Amino acid sequence: MEYILIVVSAVLVNNIVLTQFLGICPFLGVSNKVSTSFGMGGAVIFVMTLATIVTYLVNYFVLDPLGIGYLQTISYILIIAALVQMVEIILKKVSPALYQALGVYLPLITTNCTILGVAILVIQKDFNLMESVVFAFSNAAGFTLALFIFAGIREQMELSDLPAGMKGIPAALIVAGLLSLAFMGFSGIV
Amino acid sequence: MNNWKNFTKGFIKENPTLVLLLGMCPTLGVSSSANNGLGMGLATTFVLVMSNLVVTLVKDFIPDKVRIPSYIVIIASFVTIVQLVMAGYFPELNAQLGIFIPLIVVNCIVLGRAEAFASKNKVIPSVLDGLGMGLGFTFSLILLGSVRELLGNLSVFGHKIVHADGALVFILAPGAFITLGFIIAVINKLKKT
């Protein structure tokens, strides 16, 4: 039951992009096509779940016992950067097909603030390991959902006639605002 | 003259958020009031200036292949300093900005300036570039924060002008997206004419 609450809350009620403002750069950058939004979403789900597990373990088995919690930011960002590199190398070797699908998105993920954000949030919220994994996975799924809906709308919007100044990012931001308004309808479920 | 240009280009012409569209997450996330915007802007400015300064000093000793990770470590160190200072001296602001303080590390403006400017230029231009970009970022945060605060709460920097309720939606998430969208649209319009 607890896990279902975490999932619903992370995917719908507190959607990481539309209400927490994390991961806006890829949200605006790779949302032109529905197909690329899936690639990016898949890469984020994979890396976020993995990164959260590793940072969680490092936090409770290395940083805490040594009393160097203040190194959290530095160590996390290094772990995430190294992890992304490693995933890229392993995928290339083990599963060329998956690498083909996710490869171009992987380097972009190091600077995706959702990954670092979720890794820190998990510690702040005092989750245990299983809760953290569920939390990370559902946040990434929420990111993918938002990206997917947004890309669909933007594909349609390409065809519409907009005032010159509104074209591109401004229109996209306003659509994101309306989408965020729609997601606010979920508040109160949990 | 040239230094002056390095300093001022971040204000409007190459404004990091409104024109280059970098660092959108903190821009949207912490601009619910002008005060929050100011605090976040100054924290980021400090990190930008210091990381630009250190990157330009050490750029000749860092092998090309590992330069990005090294820059990230430099940036993360200064972010940690900001985090500790904020928690110690400004606990209220720290609670307001929350997760966005550690996330200065992944703010693309900081790494972007280190890579695009500080790694290629001398000390003084790099510091001025960092300062100018930081102030430009602060300016856009205050602008967005003021508009949202004014429409949402009918107040300026926390001072009520009219004693009535504003349109709460501008303080909440949707208002951030919509306000920023309109501000960028106005700037696009001004650029073209």
Side-chain angles (χ1 to χ4, degrees):
Chain A
M1 193 56 212
E2 220 177 296
Y3 296 133
I4 298 173
L5 273 184
I6 293 178
V7 173
V8 174
S9 148
V11 176
L12 297 176
V13 182
N14 293 316
N15 186 286
I16 193 156
V17 187
L18 295 170
T19 65
Q20 316 262 344
F21 304 114
L22 297 177
I24 303 286
C25 300
F27 184 64
L28 293 172
V30 293
S31 58
N32 289 324
K33 286 205 189 97
V34 171
S35 54
T36 51
S37 76
F38 270 122
M40 187 69 188
V44 167
I45 291 179
F46 190 63
V47 173
M48 193 185 285
T49 313
L50 207 60
T52 304
I53 297 172
V54 176
T55 51
Y56 181 92
L57 295 176
V58 166
N59 190 70
Y60 285 110
F61 292 100
V62 181
L63 296 184
D64 260 9
L66 296 176
I68 47 172
Y70 58 87
L71 286 179
Q72 196 191 44
T73 311
I74 300 183
S75 50
Y76 277 23
I77 190 73
L78 281 178
I79 291 169
I80 292 167
L83 198 72
V84 171
Q85 282 285 311
M86 219 169 69
V87 168
E88 203 179 342
I89 295 168
I90 294 174
L91 269 190
K92 209 172 183 177
K93 202 86 187 156
V94 177
S95 165
L98 198 61
Y99 179 75
Q100 278 283 314
L102 303 184
V104 279
Y105 305 105
L106 283 173
L108 294 173
I109 284 183
T110 317
T111 51
N112 182 337
C113 48
T114 51
I115 311 281
L116 183 62
V118 167
I120 296 173
L121 277 178
V122 157
I123 307 297
Q124 278 182 1
K125 286 180 189 270
D126 262 335
F127 280 156
N128 64 31
L129 184 58
M130 198 54 215
E131 282 169 341
S132 305
V133 173
V134 175
F135 183 74
F137 180 82
S138 39
N139 265 309
F143 175 80
T144 312
L145 177 72
L147 195 64
F148 170 63
I149 300 175
F150 192 53
I153 298 176
R154 280 187 84 178
E155 271 191 1
Q156 291 293 316
M157 218 167 53
E158 290 277 292
L159 307 169
S160 52
D161 195 22
L162 292 169
M166 294 295 278
K167 267 193 187 129
I169 296 293
L173 278 168
I174 289 164
V175 169
L178 297 176
L179 205 55
S180 156
L181 204 56
F183 268 70
M184 273 178 69
F186 290 115
S187 59
I189 289 187
V190 176
Chain B
M1 187 59 216
N2 209 5
N3 276 342
W4 180 244
K5 245 187 208 159
N6 281 332
F7 179 54
T8 55
K9 69 173 187 286
F11 293 174
I12 306 280
K13 216 171 130 226
E14 289 182 34
N15 187 294
T17 38
L18 301 177
V19 179
L20 302 178
L21 305 173
L22 296 173
M24 295 303 239
C25 307
T27 310
L28 291 163
V30 302
S31 61
S32 56
S33 74
N35 275 332
N36 286 356
L38 182 64
M40 184 67 192
L42 292 182
T44 311
T45 305
F46 169 77
V47 174
L48 253 170
V49 171
M50 295 313 284
S51 66
N52 262 9
L53 173 67
V54 174
V55 164
T56 183
L57 288 175
V58 300
K59 64 174 187 283
D60 298 329
F61 308 105
I62 296 178
D64 214 32
K65 272 191 179 158
V66 293
R67 70 178 193 287
I68 300 285
S70 332
Y71 296 167
I72 292 181
V73 174
I74 293 170
I75 294 167
S77 318
F78 286 113
V79 171
T80 307
I81 294 173
V82 169
Q83 252 179 302
L84 295 175
V85 170
M86 279 265 190
Y89 293 96
F90 308 99
E92 241 174 69
L93 188 64
N94 190 47
Q96 284 275 330
L97 300 179
I99 184 121
F100 286 101
I101 302 272
L103 288 182
I104 298 175
V105 181
V106 281
N107 187 329
C108 351
I109 302 170
V110 184
L111 186 61
R113 293 327 286 178
E115 166 71 4
F117 199 91
S119 66
K120 299 186 184 83
N121 286 282
K122 291 212 167 65
V123 175
I124 291 172
S126 300
V127 170
L128 288 175
D129 175 80
L131 193 60
M133 282 289 166
L135 292 178
F137 178 66
T138 312
F139 163 71
S140 43
L141 279 180
I142 294 177
L143 177 67
L144 185 58
S146 308
V147 173
R148 285 179 67 189
E149 204 186 326
L150 187 63
L151 293 173
N153 198 26
L154 301 178
S155 61
V156 176
F157 279 97
H159 300 291
K160 273 274 194 195
I161 340 174
V162 184
H163 281 277
D165 290 334
L168 185 65
V169 72
F170 283 98
I171 303 279
L172 300 172
F177 286 110
I178 294 172
T179 313
L180 185 62
F182 277 111
I183 290 178
I184 294 176
V186 170
I187 286 188
N188 279 353
K189 182 76 188 158
L190 291 178
K191 257 196 313 195
K192 269 174 200 134
T193 48

